[in-house]
Amino acid sequence: MLILTCSSKLQLLESVLRKGLPETLLVCGAVMHINRGNPAQHEVMVDSWPEFKAVLTRPQKEVVKDNRDYYANLHAVFYREEDACRTLLENKDAVDWDKAFQLQGKAWLLHLGTLSPSDAPLVNDNWAFASNDRSLRYLKSLIEDFPNACLLDQKGQLIAWCLSDAIGCLTHAYTLPEYQGKGHMKTVLQALGRKLQAKDFALYGSVLPENQNSKKLLISQGFHLLSLTNYWHQYWLH
């Protein structure tokens, strides 16, 4: 366990955490404050350096004087390996379990990736309008020719994905049922959005009128409704 105090190491840590956004948001935010004057008087601990598996941010010991004040005693954790996180949290020099505290964090256990043509059958099986070899060929062509993004589990199996098509539209977004309701589509949508914006594309997508969950997600990400047809709802991100 190490406490990072060197400004160059803290800057390097911030750059690494930025590359892991949005999964690293909580710890990254704390580290950014530390690198910009440290108004909350926090410090950063890692299990090892420079190759770390767990990061913990916490108030400096002199900050929290009331052992019952969990409002002031805010900890944030990010980890790549659960065992490394458990070891860090069980270390009494890292976390004072005699004091009330908050612990917020997220694991970096899921990985962003790009679909391959071999994934087309799974995408085809989970598309409501797919029914034949033509739809399979169509989806395979989208995967081969246009930007896409997907989320994988620890075993490299698909969890969620989103494609784009020949008119630059976000489309065919789906999360497998056992992973729905956990914010995975938001992660995929942001990843694909960054790819398209890097190529100077405008971001928009088509959503079935009855798909309320997708509408809410897009609106939460800054998209706006454009009533272009009776069947599709188009959204535009400014």
Side-chain angles (χ1 to χ4, degrees), residues 9-230:
K9 291 181 179 179
L10 288 168
Q11 291 290 343
L12 178 58
L13 176 63
E14 179 180 329
S15 67
V16 173
L17 293 172
R18 281 178 174 272
K19 293 177 182 177
L21 292 171
E23 284 79 8
T24 60
L25 273 172
L26 300 175
V27 169
C28 187
V31 173
M32 289 178 67
H33 275 307
I34 292 171
N35 288 338
R36 292 159 178 76
N38 201 9
Q41 296 180 273
H42 278 202
E43 58 189 5
V44 183
M45 311 185 76
V46 293
D47 65 314
S48 58
W49 185 263
E51 298 296 328
F52 62 87
K53 299 182 181 70
V55 184
L56 176 74
T57 65
R58 68 178 190 188
Q60 297 171 356
K61 290 186 177 181
E62 61 271 20
V63 173
V64 183
K65 299 178 181 180
D66 183 348
N67 289 352
R68 295 176 295 177
D69 187 4
Y70 72 89
Y71 297 100
N73 202 12
L74 174 61
H75 294 53
V77 67
F78 160 74
Y79 60 95
R80 293 186 173 110
E81 293 185 11
E82 187 174 350
D83 288 342
C85 180
R86 184 181 296 109
T87 299
L88 185 62
L89 295 180
E90 290 176 349
N91 189 319
K92 293 183 178 179
D93 291 331
V95 179
D96 187 349
W97 289 87
D98 292 329
K99 291 183 178 180
F101 66 95
Q102 298 181 57
L103 178 63
Q104 299 188 27
K106 188 168 184 179
W108 200 352
L109 298 178
L110 303 170
H111 303 279
L112 285 166
T114 301
L115 291 165
S116 71
S118 63
D119 296 316
L122 179 60
V123 178
N124 191 50
D125 289 343
N126 289 282
W127 182 29
F129 299 101
S131 60
N132 51 48
D133 290 340
R134 294 186 182 90
S135 62
L136 179 60
R137 287 196 299 270
Y138 163 71
L139 292 171
K140 184 178 180 180
S141 70
L142 295 188
I143 292 171
E144 291 177 330
D145 297 335
F146 304 105
N148 67 72
C150 65
L151 197 63
L152 308 170
D153 65 14
Q154 289 178 284
K155 297 180 180 179
Q157 302 300 309
L158 280 173
I159 291 175
W161 57 83
C162 185
L163 284 64
S164 61
D165 63 16
I167 56 175
C169 181
L170 300 174
T171 188
H172 307 304
Y174 188 75
T175 302
L176 293 177
E178 60 267 35
Y179 295 101
Q180 292 177 5
K182 299 180 180 180
H184 295 323
M185 184 49 62
K186 176 181 177 181
T187 301
V188 173
L189 186 66
Q190 290 175 342
L192 181 52
R194 286 193 293 267
K195 289 183 181 181
L196 290 170
Q197 285 187 323
K199 297 177 181 292
D200 292 326
F201 279 83
L203 298 185
Y204 75 103
S206 58
V207 181
L208 290 171
E210 64 270 18
N211 194 339
Q212 298 301 323
N213 289 335
S214 290
K215 291 180 187 178
K216 291 178 182 178
L217 171 62
L218 291 173
I219 291 172
S220 74
Q221 296 302 297
F223 286 73
H224 302 281
L225 173 63
L226 298 175
S227 299
L228 300 181
T229 69
N230 292 327

